[in-house]
Amino acid sequence: MSGTLTRITLARRPAGAPVPEDFKLVSEPLPIPDTGDVLLEVTHLSLDPYMRGRMDDVKSYAPSVDIGGTMTGQGVGRVLESKTDGFNPGDMVTGMTGWASHACLPGSELRKLDPTLPPTTALGVLGMPGLTGWVGLHRFGKPKAGETLVVGAATGPVGSMVGQIAKGMGLRTIAIAGGPEKCRLATDTFGFDAAIDHRAHDTAKSLRTAIAEAAPDGVDIYWENVGGKPLEAVMPLMNVHGRIPVCGMIAWYGGANIAEDNQLPAMWRSILVKRLRVSGFIIFDHWDEYPAFLSDMGPKVAKGDIAYLEDVADGLEAAPAAFIAMLNGGNTGKQIVKL
Ligand SMILES: NC(=O)c1ccc[n+]([C@@H]2O[C@H](COP(=O)([O-])OP(=O)(O)OC[C@H]3O[C@@H](n4cnc5c(N)ncnc54)[C@H](OP(=O)(O)O)[C@@H]3O)[C@@H](O)[C@H]2O)c1
């Protein structure tokens, strides 16, 4: 099959927050699938905070993207050509396509999508972020009815999953989100009992006062998505035997606003990437739980019992700007790019 593949590569390593010049759009002829391979046209690409880490040349739980390499990412797409059993042209599939218009991947690395669900759900609510919230809350949060949970980035795909499961289990749920509109979505769409706008608080102390008012019995589970000000605010409010699943620390991903002598972000990152008890965890260790997650949450999403939001950017060229915006809270819901 002839045609052109376009992809976005890492042009250089970012110094702090990524800028558009860190990315480059390149075009080349479509690859020819080998035996065992499937050629697909990507219809939607997932943008996730972890991709910021892949842009740095640091030791982590997954390799960095090389300069000139395609930005890592999960996509969904339509099969154009298959050289393996089990996949036919027209099938909708998902896999690690990278930031690219097409991908040629071994059939063993692809999963066929449930045709009864919107394909984009495989990237968010029923994909890696949804699984992260589901696994992490049950396994590391160990929620109990009557307890209080606080989560930052609460309207994103991880935070909204965590909040909805916890609420369904009888916890008091408190969202930390950026701006009044996200706070409204947190309570009205995702059922949080209270929502606090971290942008309305200049200091961790002020944010702490607001969280303490919303959590009169203290905090039993702090689901860590953010680091930064929310972490500093919540820590003194933790109850004895509280749990902190350390899922992410997006406030510190770009290294911005970290004083030279502040070791806390580096220590907190070690808890996450080295999976130290408090409880740092990485979803890749828990992929075997995906079928159980899908059979639990798939029907709930299909029935509308679990809500989700998607923020869709238009065109592969829009991916860098959408990614940069997401790292600053510019997304409302799961950030996706429609190709
Ligand atoms: N451990 C794992 O395996 C794993 C897997 C998936 C995701 N994660 C992590 O989970 C977290 C959430 O991921 P997601 O996909 O659901 O992302 P997301 O919520 O869609 O997007 C990130 C959100 O982070 C918030 N944010 C950014 N900078 C912030 C700051 N300085 N202070 C407070 N909030 C800030 C923004 O929300 P507001 O505007 O509401 O503040 C932004 O919309 C990320 O840290 C991610 O790296 C970890």
Side-chain angles (χ1 to χ4, degrees), residues 48-50 128-129 132 153-159 176-178 182 198-199 225-226 230 246-251 253 272 281-284 326-331 333-335:
D48 295 274
Y50 77 82
M128 183 277 285
T132 299
T155 60
V158 175
I176 301 178
K182 285 191 184 180
H198 65 87
R199 295 191 195 282
N225 271 340
V226 173
V246 183
C247 177
M249 35 180 280
I250 191 167
Y253 285 173
L272 176 62
F281 78 98
I282 294 293
I283 196 60
F284 304 148
M326 178 187 70
L327 293 174
N328 291 303
N331 62 314
K334 170 69 207 155
Q335 185 64 60

mmCIF file of all heavy atoms in Angstrom, residues 48-50 128-129 132 153-159 176-178 182 198-199 225-226 230 246-251 253 272 281-284 326-331 333-335, ligand 1:
data_model
loop_
_atom_site.group_PDB
_atom_site.id
_atom_site.type_symbol
_atom_site.label_atom_id
_atom_site.label_comp_id
_atom_site.label_asym_id
_atom_site.label_seq_id
_atom_site.Cartn_x
_atom_site.Cartn_y
_atom_site.Cartn_z
ATOM 1 N N ASP A 48 -0.637 11.894 27.433
ATOM 2 C CA ASP A 48 -0.594 11.577 28.858
ATOM 3 C C ASP A 48 0.583 12.276 29.518
ATOM 4 O O ASP A 48 1.657 12.418 28.911
ATOM 5 C CB ASP A 48 -0.431 10.064 29.052
ATOM 6 C CG ASP A 48 -1.624 9.297 28.538
ATOM 7 O OD1 ASP A 48 -2.585 9.135 29.292
ATOM 8 O OD2 ASP A 48 -1.613 8.894 27.352
ATOM 9 N N PRO A 49 0.409 12.652 30.812
ATOM 10 C CA PRO A 49 1.504 13.334 31.516
ATOM 11 C C PRO A 49 2.822 12.561 31.515
ATOM 12 O O PRO A 49 3.896 13.172 31.497
ATOM 13 C CB PRO A 49 0.955 13.478 32.936
ATOM 14 C CG PRO A 49 -0.530 13.521 32.766
ATOM 15 C CD PRO A 49 -0.824 12.582 31.628
ATOM 16 N N TYR A 50 2.775 11.198 31.530
ATOM 17 C CA TYR A 50 4.031 10.434 31.605
ATOM 18 C C TYR A 50 4.967 10.731 30.438
ATOM 19 O O TYR A 50 6.182 10.534 30.527
ATOM 20 C CB TYR A 50 3.751 8.922 31.680
ATOM 21 C CG TYR A 50 3.368 8.279 30.368
ATOM 22 C CD1 TYR A 50 4.340 7.891 29.442
ATOM 23 C CD2 TYR A 50 2.043 8.053 30.032
ATOM 24 C CE1 TYR A 50 3.989 7.306 28.233
ATOM 25 C CE2 TYR A 50 1.680 7.470 28.829
ATOM 26 C CZ TYR A 50 2.664 7.100 27.933
ATOM 27 O OH TYR A 50 2.316 6.528 26.727
ATOM 28 N N MET A 128 -5.533 2.977 29.956
ATOM 29 C CA MET A 128 -4.474 3.023 30.971
ATOM 30 C C MET A 128 -4.829 3.936 32.160
ATOM 31 O O MET A 128 -4.675 3.526 33.325
ATOM 32 C CB MET A 128 -3.166 3.438 30.278
ATOM 33 C CG MET A 128 -1.959 3.470 31.159
ATOM 34 S SD MET A 128 -1.825 4.991 32.086
ATOM 35 C CE MET A 128 -1.291 6.154 30.837
ATOM 36 N N PRO A 129 -5.344 5.179 31.919
ATOM 37 C CA PRO A 129 -5.635 6.023 33.085
ATOM 38 C C PRO A 129 -6.746 5.458 33.971
ATOM 39 O O PRO A 129 -6.639 5.497 35.201
ATOM 40 C CB PRO A 129 -6.059 7.359 32.459
ATOM 41 C CG PRO A 129 -5.500 7.335 31.069
ATOM 42 C CD PRO A 129 -5.529 5.905 30.641
ATOM 43 N N THR A 132 -5.443 2.656 35.950
ATOM 44 C CA THR A 132 -4.563 3.171 37.010
ATOM 45 C C THR A 132 -5.370 3.545 38.257
ATOM 46 O O THR A 132 -5.020 3.160 39.376
ATOM 47 C CB THR A 132 -3.796 4.406 36.492
ATOM 48 O OG1 THR A 132 -3.000 4.011 35.384
ATOM 49 C CG2 THR A 132 -2.907 5.007 37.561
ATOM 50 N N ALA A 153 -5.938 16.942 40.417
ATOM 51 C CA ALA A 153 -6.221 16.693 38.993
ATOM 52 C C ALA A 153 -7.514 15.873 38.900
ATOM 53 O O ALA A 153 -7.604 14.882 38.187
ATOM 54 C CB ALA A 153 -5.061 15.989 38.300
ATOM 55 N N ALA A 154 -8.523 16.316 39.662
ATOM 56 C CA ALA A 154 -9.685 15.481 39.940
ATOM 57 C C ALA A 154 -10.626 15.288 38.757
ATOM 58 O O ALA A 154 -11.423 14.348 38.760
ATOM 59 C CB ALA A 154 -10.470 16.075 41.116
ATOM 60 N N THR A 155 -10.560 16.157 37.753
ATOM 61 C CA THR A 155 -11.454 15.964 36.600
ATOM 62 C C THR A 155 -10.745 15.232 35.465
ATOM 63 O O THR A 155 -11.348 14.966 34.428
ATOM 64 C CB THR A 155 -11.990 17.311 36.062
ATOM 65 O OG1 THR A 155 -10.877 18.119 35.652
ATOM 66 C CG2 THR A 155 -12.799 18.046 37.116
ATOM 67 N N GLY A 156 -9.480 14.893 35.653
ATOM 68 C CA GLY A 156 -8.753 14.118 34.641
ATOM 69 C C GLY A 156 -9.176 12.658 34.696
ATOM 70 O O GLY A 156 -9.945 12.247 35.572
ATOM 71 N N PRO A 157 -8.663 11.863 33.757
ATOM 72 C CA PRO A 157 -9.127 10.473 33.686
ATOM 73 C C PRO A 157 -8.744 9.629 34.892
ATOM 74 O O PRO A 157 -9.508 8.746 35.277
ATOM 75 C CB PRO A 157 -8.462 9.942 32.409
ATOM 76 C CG PRO A 157 -7.332 10.872 32.127
ATOM 77 C CD PRO A 157 -7.738 12.208 32.668
ATOM 78 N N VAL A 158 -7.606 9.898 35.517
ATOM 79 C CA VAL A 158 -7.241 9.129 36.712
ATOM 80 C C VAL A 158 -8.058 9.628 37.910
ATOM 81 O O VAL A 158 -8.743 8.854 38.580
ATOM 82 C CB VAL A 158 -5.724 9.241 37.015
ATOM 83 C CG1 VAL A 158 -5.396 8.537 38.328
ATOM 84 C CG2 VAL A 158 -4.890 8.647 35.877
ATOM 85 N N GLY A 159 -8.001 10.927 38.147
ATOM 86 C CA GLY A 159 -8.670 11.480 39.328
ATOM 87 C C GLY A 159 -10.170 11.252 39.322
ATOM 88 O O GLY A 159 -10.767 10.958 40.375
ATOM 89 N N ILE A 176 -9.471 18.308 44.287
ATOM 90 C CA ILE A 176 -8.680 19.534 44.094
ATOM 91 C C ILE A 176 -8.565 19.690 42.583
ATOM 92 O O ILE A 176 -8.157 18.743 41.884
ATOM 93 C CB ILE A 176 -7.284 19.425 44.746
ATOM 94 C CG1 ILE A 176 -7.421 19.164 46.250
ATOM 95 C CG2 ILE A 176 -6.477 20.702 44.494
ATOM 96 C CD1 ILE A 176 -6.103 18.982 46.976
ATOM 97 N N ALA A 177 -8.978 20.833 42.080
ATOM 98 C CA ALA A 177 -8.989 21.031 40.629
ATOM 99 C C ALA A 177 -8.642 22.484 40.320
ATOM 100 O O ALA A 177 -8.719 23.352 41.199
ATOM 101 C CB ALA A 177 -10.355 20.661 40.055
ATOM 102 N N GLY A 178 -8.267 22.722 39.072
ATOM 103 C CA GLY A 178 -7.819 24.050 38.670
ATOM 104 C C GLY A 178 -8.926 24.881 38.046
ATOM 105 O O GLY A 178 -9.300 24.658 36.891
ATOM 106 N N LYS A 182 -13.731 23.564 36.440
ATOM 107 C CA LYS A 182 -13.349 22.187 36.768
ATOM 108 C C LYS A 182 -13.921 21.780 38.128
ATOM 109 O O LYS A 182 -14.291 20.623 38.325
ATOM 110 C CB LYS A 182 -11.826 22.024 36.753
ATOM 111 C CG LYS A 182 -11.229 21.995 35.340
ATOM 112 C CD LYS A 182 -9.767 21.575 35.371
ATOM 113 C CE LYS A 182 -9.143 21.638 33.982
ATOM 114 N NZ LYS A 182 -7.724 21.228 33.988
ATOM 115 N N HIS A 198 -7.363 24.887 43.455
ATOM 116 C CA HIS A 198 -6.003 25.143 43.960
ATOM 117 C C HIS A 198 -5.453 26.467 43.426
ATOM 118 O O HIS A 198 -4.579 27.081 44.033
ATOM 119 C CB HIS A 198 -5.052 23.981 43.643
ATOM 120 C CG HIS A 198 -4.785 23.754 42.186
ATOM 121 N ND1 HIS A 198 -3.792 24.392 41.502
ATOM 122 C CD2 HIS A 198 -5.379 22.924 41.286
ATOM 123 C CE1 HIS A 198 -3.781 23.984 40.239
ATOM 124 N NE2 HIS A 198 -4.733 23.092 40.076
ATOM 125 N N ARG A 199 -5.991 26.915 42.294
ATOM 126 C CA ARG A 199 -5.506 28.181 41.725
ATOM 127 C C ARG A 199 -5.975 29.393 42.547
ATOM 128 O O ARG A 199 -5.420 30.480 42.416
ATOM 129 C CB ARG A 199 -5.967 28.325 40.281
ATOM 130 C CG ARG A 199 -5.364 27.277 39.363
ATOM 131 C CD ARG A 199 -5.606 27.569 37.903
ATOM 132 N NE ARG A 199 -5.325 26.399 37.098
ATOM 133 C CZ ARG A 199 -4.110 25.993 36.770
ATOM 134 N NH1 ARG A 199 -3.060 26.669 37.163
ATOM 135 N NH2 ARG A 199 -3.942 24.903 36.035
ATOM 136 N N ASN A 225 -1.632 12.741 42.668
ATOM 137 C CA ASN A 225 -1.476 12.909 41.220
ATOM 138 C C ASN A 225 -0.537 14.061 40.895
ATOM 139 O O ASN A 225 -0.138 14.208 39.743
ATOM 140 C CB ASN A 225 -2.833 13.266 40.573
ATOM 141 C CG ASN A 225 -3.638 12.058 40.163
ATOM 142 O OD1 ASN A 225 -3.096 10.970 40.008
ATOM 143 N ND2 ASN A 225 -4.938 12.240 39.983
ATOM 144 N N VAL A 226 -0.253 14.908 41.897
ATOM 145 C CA VAL A 226 0.213 16.251 41.574
ATOM 146 C C VAL A 226 1.555 16.645 42.191
ATOM 147 O O VAL A 226 2.395 17.238 41.529
ATOM 148 C CB VAL A 226 -0.884 17.269 42.001
ATOM 149 C CG1 VAL A 226 -0.391 18.689 41.850
ATOM 150 C CG2 VAL A 226 -2.150 17.077 41.171
ATOM 151 N N PRO A 230 -0.600 21.029 46.490
ATOM 152 C CA PRO A 230 -1.581 20.135 47.114
ATOM 153 C C PRO A 230 -0.938 19.135 48.083
ATOM 154 O O PRO A 230 -1.477 18.886 49.169
ATOM 155 C CB PRO A 230 -2.223 19.420 45.917
ATOM 156 C CG PRO A 230 -2.070 20.400 44.786
ATOM 157 C CD PRO A 230 -0.734 21.054 45.017
ATOM 158 N N VAL A 246 0.988 6.920 45.551
ATOM 159 C CA VAL A 246 1.739 7.952 44.808
ATOM 160 C C VAL A 246 1.676 7.579 43.329
ATOM 161 O O VAL A 246 2.387 6.703 42.868
ATOM 162 C CB VAL A 246 3.191 8.061 45.294
ATOM 163 C CG1 VAL A 246 3.905 9.195 44.545
ATOM 164 C CG2 VAL A 246 3.233 8.332 46.793
ATOM 165 N N CYS A 247 0.787 8.245 42.636
ATOM 166 C CA CYS A 247 0.521 7.922 41.227
ATOM 167 C C CYS A 247 1.285 8.844 40.300
ATOM 168 O O CYS A 247 1.818 8.410 39.280
ATOM 169 C CB CYS A 247 -0.986 8.044 40.999
ATOM 170 S SG CYS A 247 -1.501 7.766 39.312
ATOM 171 N N GLY A 248 1.350 10.118 40.617
ATOM 172 C CA GLY A 248 2.026 11.078 39.745
ATOM 173 C C GLY A 248 2.364 12.337 40.507
ATOM 174 O O GLY A 248 1.931 12.529 41.653
ATOM 175 N N MET A 249 3.148 13.201 39.897
ATOM 176 C CA MET A 249 3.572 14.460 40.544
ATOM 177 C C MET A 249 3.758 15.509 39.458
ATOM 178 O O MET A 249 4.816 16.099 39.305
ATOM 179 C CB MET A 249 4.856 14.233 41.346
ATOM 180 C CG MET A 249 5.816 13.238 40.731
ATOM 181 S SD MET A 249 7.295 12.992 41.696
ATOM 182 C CE MET A 249 8.226 14.426 41.196
ATOM 183 N N ILE A 250 2.652 15.738 38.739
ATOM 184 C CA ILE A 250 2.715 16.550 37.519
ATOM 185 C C ILE A 250 3.203 17.974 37.785
ATOM 186 O O ILE A 250 3.841 18.581 36.920
ATOM 187 C CB ILE A 250 1.354 16.530 36.780
ATOM 188 C CG1 ILE A 250 1.488 17.145 35.386
ATOM 189 C CG2 ILE A 250 0.259 17.198 37.594
ATOM 190 C CD1 ILE A 250 0.308 16.885 34.491
ATOM 191 N N ALA A 251 2.959 18.501 38.982
ATOM 192 C CA ALA A 251 3.385 19.881 39.267
ATOM 193 C C ALA A 251 4.895 20.034 39.146
ATOM 194 O O ALA A 251 5.393 21.136 38.933
ATOM 195 C CB ALA A 251 2.932 20.284 40.662
ATOM 196 N N TYR A 253 6.849 17.961 37.047
ATOM 197 C CA TYR A 253 7.417 17.273 35.873
ATOM 198 C C TYR A 253 8.385 18.152 35.079
ATOM 199 O O TYR A 253 9.367 17.667 34.561
ATOM 200 C CB TYR A 253 6.319 16.756 34.937
ATOM 201 C CG TYR A 253 5.594 15.531 35.449
ATOM 202 C CD1 TYR A 253 4.480 15.038 34.781
ATOM 203 C CD2 TYR A 253 6.003 14.864 36.589
ATOM 204 C CE1 TYR A 253 3.802 13.918 35.235
ATOM 205 C CE2 TYR A 253 5.319 13.746 37.062
ATOM 206 C CZ TYR A 253 4.222 13.283 36.373
ATOM 207 O OH TYR A 253 3.550 12.184 36.822
ATOM 208 N N LEU A 272 7.867 7.230 43.728
ATOM 209 C CA LEU A 272 7.039 6.819 42.585
ATOM 210 C C LEU A 272 7.777 5.831 41.686
ATOM 211 O O LEU A 272 7.336 4.707 41.487
ATOM 212 C CB LEU A 272 6.623 8.061 41.793
ATOM 213 C CG LEU A 272 5.833 7.813 40.515
ATOM 214 C CD1 LEU A 272 4.516 7.116 40.808
ATOM 215 C CD2 LEU A 272 5.555 9.128 39.800
ATOM 216 N N PHE A 281 3.438 3.441 42.817
ATOM 217 C CA PHE A 281 3.128 2.318 41.924
ATOM 218 C C PHE A 281 3.097 2.794 40.483
ATOM 219 O O PHE A 281 2.869 3.973 40.206
ATOM 220 C CB PHE A 281 1.789 1.670 42.302
ATOM 221 C CG PHE A 281 0.577 2.429 41.850
ATOM 222 C CD1 PHE A 281 -0.097 2.068 40.693
ATOM 223 C CD2 PHE A 281 0.113 3.526 42.562
ATOM 224 C CE1 PHE A 281 -1.204 2.774 40.261
ATOM 225 C CE2 PHE A 281 -0.994 4.240 42.141
ATOM 226 C CZ PHE A 281 -1.656 3.866 40.989
ATOM 227 N N ILE A 282 3.378 1.865 39.600
ATOM 228 C CA ILE A 282 3.379 2.150 38.166
ATOM 229 C C ILE A 282 2.454 1.130 37.505
ATOM 230 O O ILE A 282 2.547 -0.072 37.764
ATOM 231 C CB ILE A 282 4.814 2.027 37.589
ATOM 232 C CG1 ILE A 282 5.717 3.126 38.170
ATOM 233 C CG2 ILE A 282 4.813 2.060 36.063
ATOM 234 C CD1 ILE A 282 5.388 4.552 37.758
ATOM 235 N N ILE A 283 1.578 1.631 36.691
ATOM 236 C CA ILE A 283 0.509 0.785 36.166
ATOM 237 C C ILE A 283 1.034 -0.378 35.330
ATOM 238 O O ILE A 283 0.406 -1.435 35.251
ATOM 239 C CB ILE A 283 -0.530 1.635 35.392
ATOM 240 C CG1 ILE A 283 -1.828 0.861 35.188
ATOM 241 C CG2 ILE A 283 0.022 2.138 34.075
ATOM 242 C CD1 ILE A 283 -2.500 0.430 36.473
ATOM 243 N N PHE A 284 2.208 -0.214 34.728
ATOM 244 C CA PHE A 284 2.729 -1.294 33.877
ATOM 245 C C PHE A 284 2.927 -2.593 34.670
ATOM 246 O O PHE A 284 2.957 -3.665 34.090
ATOM 247 C CB PHE A 284 4.057 -0.887 33.226
ATOM 248 C CG PHE A 284 3.948 0.390 32.444
ATOM 249 C CD1 PHE A 284 5.022 1.249 32.359
ATOM 250 C CD2 PHE A 284 2.766 0.737 31.806
ATOM 251 C CE1 PHE A 284 4.917 2.436 31.652
ATOM 252 C CE2 PHE A 284 2.657 1.920 31.093
ATOM 253 C CZ PHE A 284 3.730 2.780 31.019
ATOM 254 N N MET A 326 -1.786 20.659 28.391
ATOM 255 C CA MET A 326 -2.226 19.688 29.398
ATOM 256 C C MET A 326 -1.331 19.724 30.634
ATOM 257 O O MET A 326 -1.814 19.622 31.771
ATOM 258 C CB MET A 326 -2.210 18.281 28.806
ATOM 259 C CG MET A 326 -2.599 17.194 29.798
ATOM 260 S SD MET A 326 -2.364 15.549 29.114
ATOM 261 C CE MET A 326 -0.586 15.488 29.053
ATOM 262 N N LEU A 327 -0.041 19.886 30.408
ATOM 263 C CA LEU A 327 0.891 19.909 31.547
ATOM 264 C C LEU A 327 0.644 21.117 32.444
ATOM 265 O O LEU A 327 1.098 21.155 33.581
ATOM 266 C CB LEU A 327 2.336 19.898 31.049
ATOM 267 C CG LEU A 327 2.786 18.610 30.352
ATOM 268 C CD1 LEU A 327 4.184 18.772 29.775
ATOM 269 C CD2 LEU A 327 2.742 17.412 31.294
ATOM 270 N N ASN A 328 -0.092 22.100 31.925
ATOM 271 C CA ASN A 328 -0.429 23.294 32.709
ATOM 272 C C ASN A 328 -1.912 23.356 33.061
ATOM 273 O O ASN A 328 -2.425 24.421 33.398
ATOM 274 C CB ASN A 328 -0.036 24.553 31.934
ATOM 275 C CG ASN A 328 1.467 24.693 31.841
ATOM 276 O OD1 ASN A 328 2.139 24.724 32.863
ATOM 277 N ND2 ASN A 328 1.994 24.735 30.637
ATOM 278 N N GLY A 329 -2.602 22.232 32.927
ATOM 279 C CA GLY A 329 -4.016 22.205 33.290
ATOM 280 C C GLY A 329 -4.936 22.724 32.206
ATOM 281 O O GLY A 329 -6.116 22.974 32.462
ATOM 282 N N GLY A 330 -4.443 22.851 30.977
ATOM 283 C CA GLY A 330 -5.271 23.379 29.886
ATOM 284 C C GLY A 330 -6.312 22.404 29.382
ATOM 285 O O GLY A 330 -7.210 22.783 28.626
ATOM 286 N N ASN A 331 -6.217 21.155 29.779
ATOM 287 C CA ASN A 331 -7.203 20.156 29.345
ATOM 288 C C ASN A 331 -8.341 20.067 30.349
ATOM 289 O O ASN A 331 -8.154 20.281 31.544
ATOM 290 C CB ASN A 331 -6.541 18.775 29.227
ATOM 291 C CG ASN A 331 -5.993 18.274 30.569
ATOM 292 O OD1 ASN A 331 -5.338 19.020 31.296
ATOM 293 N ND2 ASN A 331 -6.265 17.038 30.900
ATOM 294 N N GLY A 333 -10.624 17.027 31.142
ATOM 295 C CA GLY A 333 -10.868 15.616 30.847
ATOM 296 C C GLY A 333 -9.721 15.012 30.069
ATOM 297 O O GLY A 333 -8.701 15.660 29.814
ATOM 298 N N LYS A 334 -9.894 13.752 29.703
ATOM 299 C CA LYS A 334 -8.840 12.994 29.018
ATOM 300 C C LYS A 334 -8.415 13.695 27.725
ATOM 301 O O LYS A 334 -9.247 13.935 26.853
ATOM 302 C CB LYS A 334 -9.383 11.591 28.712
ATOM 303 C CG LYS A 334 -8.518 10.758 27.799
ATOM 304 C CD LYS A 334 -7.234 10.369 28.472
ATOM 305 C CE LYS A 334 -6.144 10.154 27.443
ATOM 306 N NZ LYS A 334 -4.804 10.349 27.986
ATOM 307 N N GLN A 335 -7.131 14.019 27.615
ATOM 308 C CA GLN A 335 -6.650 14.719 26.414
ATOM 309 C C GLN A 335 -6.386 13.714 25.289
ATOM 310 O O GLN A 335 -5.591 12.794 25.425
ATOM 311 C CB GLN A 335 -5.364 15.490 26.729
ATOM 312 C CG GLN A 335 -4.877 16.326 25.561
ATOM 313 C CD GLN A 335 -5.853 17.446 25.177
ATOM 314 O OE1 GLN A 335 -6.149 18.302 25.988
ATOM 315 N NE2 GLN A 335 -6.365 17.417 23.937
HETATM 316 N N1 LIG B 1 1.690 5.747 38.175
HETATM 317 C C1 LIG B 1 1.152 5.475 37.004
HETATM 318 O O1 LIG B 1 1.281 4.396 36.455
HETATM 319 C C2 LIG B 1 0.336 6.547 36.321
HETATM 320 C C3 LIG B 1 -0.519 6.217 35.265
HETATM 321 C C4 LIG B 1 -1.312 7.243 34.685
HETATM 322 C C5 LIG B 1 -1.200 8.546 35.146
HETATM 323 N N2 LIG B 1 -0.322 8.811 36.161
HETATM 324 C C6 LIG B 1 -0.219 10.174 36.724
HETATM 325 O O2 LIG B 1 -1.495 10.539 37.222
HETATM 326 C C7 LIG B 1 -1.635 11.956 37.160
HETATM 327 C C8 LIG B 1 -2.941 12.306 36.455
HETATM 328 O O3 LIG B 1 -2.891 11.801 35.128
HETATM 329 P P1 LIG B 1 -4.113 12.080 34.120
HETATM 330 O O4 LIG B 1 -3.819 11.322 32.885
HETATM 331 O O5 LIG B 1 -5.414 11.855 34.812
HETATM 332 O O6 LIG B 1 -3.887 13.635 33.809
HETATM 333 P P2 LIG B 1 -4.922 14.853 33.613
HETATM 334 O O7 LIG B 1 -5.659 15.053 34.900
HETATM 335 O O8 LIG B 1 -5.713 14.690 32.381
HETATM 336 O O9 LIG B 1 -3.958 16.106 33.291
HETATM 337 C C9 LIG B 1 -3.116 16.623 34.173
HETATM 338 C C10 LIG B 1 -3.785 17.616 35.158
HETATM 339 O O10 LIG B 1 -2.869 17.888 36.205
HETATM 340 C C11 LIG B 1 -3.248 19.081 36.834
HETATM 341 N N3 LIG B 1 -2.076 19.907 37.131
HETATM 342 C C12 LIG B 1 -1.083 20.261 36.283
HETATM 343 N N4 LIG B 1 -0.192 21.042 36.922
HETATM 344 C C13 LIG B 1 -0.633 21.183 38.191
HETATM 345 C C14 LIG B 1 -0.155 21.868 39.341
HETATM 346 N N5 LIG B 1 0.975 22.586 39.288
HETATM 347 N N6 LIG B 1 -0.840 21.784 40.482
HETATM 348 C C15 LIG B 1 -1.985 21.074 40.555
HETATM 349 N N7 LIG B 1 -2.502 20.395 39.501
HETATM 350 C C16 LIG B 1 -1.833 20.455 38.340
HETATM 351 C C17 LIG B 1 -4.191 19.814 35.867
HETATM 352 O O11 LIG B 1 -5.501 19.715 36.395
HETATM 353 P P3 LIG B 1 -6.144 20.945 37.201
HETATM 354 O O12 LIG B 1 -6.282 22.058 36.183
HETATM 355 O O13 LIG B 1 -7.415 20.425 37.703
HETATM 356 O O14 LIG B 1 -5.180 21.296 38.287
HETATM 357 C C18 LIG B 1 -4.076 18.985 34.595
HETATM 358 O O15 LIG B 1 -5.273 19.044 33.838
HETATM 359 C C19 LIG B 1 -0.375 12.488 36.455
HETATM 360 O O16 LIG B 1 0.547 12.897 37.428
HETATM 361 C C20 LIG B 1 0.146 11.254 35.735
HETATM 362 O O17 LIG B 1 1.528 11.310 35.485
HETATM 363 C C21 LIG B 1 0.447 7.843 36.733
#
